Amino acid sequence: MKNYRLKRGYGVINVALFGLLVAGCSADKDSTAAVSEAVATDTVMDSIVVYSSRKEHLIQPVFAQFTEQTGIAVKYTTDKAGVLIERIKTEGQNSPADLLITVDAGNLGYAAAEGIFQPMKSAVINQNIAAHLRDDKDLWTGLSLRARTIVYSTERVRSSDLSTYQAIGQNQWQGRVCLRTSKKVYNQSLVAMLIAELGETKAEQTVASWVANLAIPPTSNDTKVMQAIAAGQCDIGIVNTYYFGRLQAQQPDLPLALYWPNQADDDNSGVHVNVSGGGILKHSKNPDQARRLLEWLASEQAQGLFAGLNKEYPVISSVAIDPQVISWGDFKQSSLSLSRAFQLQPAAVKLMDRVGYQ
Ligand code: FE
């Protein structure tokens, strides 16, 4: 119900906006770099500038609601995370940007390590967002949650055949596994988390066993993993939940399902999750208003829309979830600190290289 109401609101708000072109459909691909204004009005007193690697159609309706409620206009630029971080560094003190919004603790952690954020002092964020989904130095916060989990063929695999991330390396899966390239930050974060949980030796054995079970060379993206499974090239893979959501919405009879690994009572890990998130930039001219936007995005009223537009999970458990996302069932998530896991990313990259994961 809640999601329906929010979607209807999105349409109403759009009528009041400049005609904005909706670009692409992936939160992590290239997009246009043109600065767009979320709202056309001469009456707003304040404005902030957001650099976002989250795509325009995922942020624009949310910013429009923020402006409507606060009178603070939001200008934004979208591009790849790496491009935006370089741009912020190059612009230095002259940067017009107040906030960076991007996906994955790998990108957020990299931005923090490059020194482009300033610490946030926000009781709202500290209260609303679980500590493992925020930076331990308060340089960034998660704003929506995605799980990186197992997807399987409902035609050739029973869910009872599956158990843990580690078990993807068992002999029964020889020649039946599809994985996305190790070059993607999502897999670097996943392997960093495996190192944190299992130790480097066991994590390396695990990833090596996955590679040994590959049916085809690693694919360039998560959707291709699912398409390969649907086409019978492989039977299981690992994907972010929202990519499954998009494909399932396009093809309701998709012969695939999600599986939540590491759920046993005596398993103290759980499903690996990551976030989209943001941080206030060091040279922001409007840090208070930038913080207001982050706090608003972390509020109950914004969370359903912000997460639901991309079929993600809200970071506040009290907020209603998109019905399609609900249909995938509940899971126990790993409570590993994402900012700590980021510190293991260099080790993860080397590990994947050692085991020949391309
Ligand atoms: Fe993505």
Side-chain angles (χ1 to χ4, degrees):
M1 278 306 284
K2 183 153 198 165
N3 193 57
Y4 172 69
R5 183 172 60 76
L6 287 167
K7 277 187 176 159
R8 219 171 40 158
Y10 167 26
V12 170
I13 288 161
N14 254 335
V15 173
L17 300 173
F18 274 134
L20 287 167
L21 291 173
V22 173
C25 64
S26 161
D28 57 274
K29 281 186 186 167
D30 256 5
S31 63
T32 56
V35 174
S36 313
E37 280 209 46
V39 166
T41 169
D42 297 326
T43 58
V44 288
M45 301 289 290
D46 301 305
S47 69
I48 54 173
V49 175
V50 177
Y51 284 4
S52 171
S53 77
R54 206 167 160 90
K55 291 283 227 171
E56 178 164 12
H57 69 288
L58 300 177
I59 53 173
Q60 183 273 332
V62 193
F63 292 164
Q65 275 200 12
F66 173 74
T67 302
E68 194 176 76
Q69 292 184 12
T70 63
I72 299 170
V74 181
K75 297 178 180 180
Y76 55 87
T77 295
T78 62
D79 210 322
K80 281 186 169 179
V83 173
L84 293 173
I85 291 167
E86 279 312 304
R87 182 165 163 184
I88 291 162
K89 283 165 60 184
T90 304
E91 289 171 344
Q93 293 191 0
N94 298 321
S95 177
D98 297 297
L99 266 180
L100 174 69
I101 289 179
T102 185
V103 296
D104 203 280
N107 290 327
L108 290 159
Y110 174 69
E114 291 296 291
I116 65 169
F117 289 140
Q118 60 172 290
M120 287 178 271
K121 293 178 186 68
S122 170
V124 174
I125 285 169
N126 290 352
Q127 189 176 354
N128 286 10
I129 315 251
H132 69 288
L133 305 178
R134 292 186 266 120
D135 179 51
D136 53 11
K137 297 186 190 73
D138 295 325
L139 292 169
W140 54 264
T141 180
L143 295 168
S144 63
L145 186 93
R146 62 275 299 280
R148 191 149 186 81
T149 196
I150 296 174
V151 62
Y152 66 95
S153 160
T154 51
E155 293 169 337
R156 298 180 300 281
V157 176
R158 288 168 303 183
S159 64
S160 59
D161 297 335
L162 297 159
S163 58
T164 64
Y165 291 101
Q166 297 93 304
I168 295 170
Q170 289 174 346
N171 284 341
Q172 64 167 319
W173 301 114
Q174 198 157 37
R176 300 174 70 188
V177 175
C178 277
L179 294 174
R180 183 181 192 159
T181 170
S182 66
K183 306 295 179 281
K184 181 67 188 182
V185 70
Y186 299 163
N187 283 330
Q188 295 165 4
S189 289
L190 176 68
V191 172
M193 288 183 238
L194 286 176
I195 295 172
E197 280 172 0
L198 305 173
E200 188 145 357
T201 304
K202 277 192 182 163
E204 182 159 344
Q205 288 164 357
T206 295
V207 180
S209 67
W210 293 354
V211 172
N213 281 347
L214 281 175
I216 58 173
T219 64
S220 58
N221 64 48
D222 283 12
T223 301
K224 285 181 180 165
V225 166
M226 293 183 286
Q227 288 168 335
I229 297 171
Q233 289 181 286
C234 43
D235 295 337
I236 61 172
I238 298 175
V239 294
N240 279 2
T241 42
Y242 56 91
Y243 291 113
F244 177 79
R246 287 179 201 164
L247 202 59
Q248 188 184 44
Q250 289 164 12
Q251 297 172 241
D253 57 348
L254 192 69
L256 305 180
L258 293 176
Y259 178 82
W260 308 123
N262 300 75
Q263 298 296 291
D265 289 342
D266 60 352
D267 190 320
N268 55 15
S269 54
V271 174
H272 285 148
V273 296
N274 212 308
V275 291
S276 80
I280 303 169
L281 296 168
K282 187 164 72 183
H283 297 301
S284 166
K285 312 296 184 292
N286 305 292
D288 290 340
Q289 280 145 7
R291 194 192 66 242
R292 256 183 98 180
L293 176 56
L294 284 180
E295 289 176 344
W296 188 82
L297 290 171
S299 71
E300 282 201 7
Q301 59 175 328
Q303 274 287 299
L305 179 60
F306 188 70
L309 283 169
N310 194 34
K311 300 191 186 302
E312 291 179 275
Y313 295 88
V315 281
I316 301 180
S317 56
S318 59
V319 171
I321 296 174
D322 178 293
Q324 186 190 353
V325 177
I326 289 176
S327 74
W328 306 334
D330 287 335
F331 59 87
K332 172 180 76 175
Q333 65 172 276
S334 168
S335 56
L336 261 178
S337 159
L338 291 181
S339 64
R340 297 250 172 84
F342 166 73
Q343 290 159 13
L344 291 165
Q345 283 225 341
V349 171
K350 284 184 198 152
L351 184 158
M352 291 191 284
D353 191 44
R354 280 199 301 276
V355 302
Y357 181 2
Q358 294 180 326

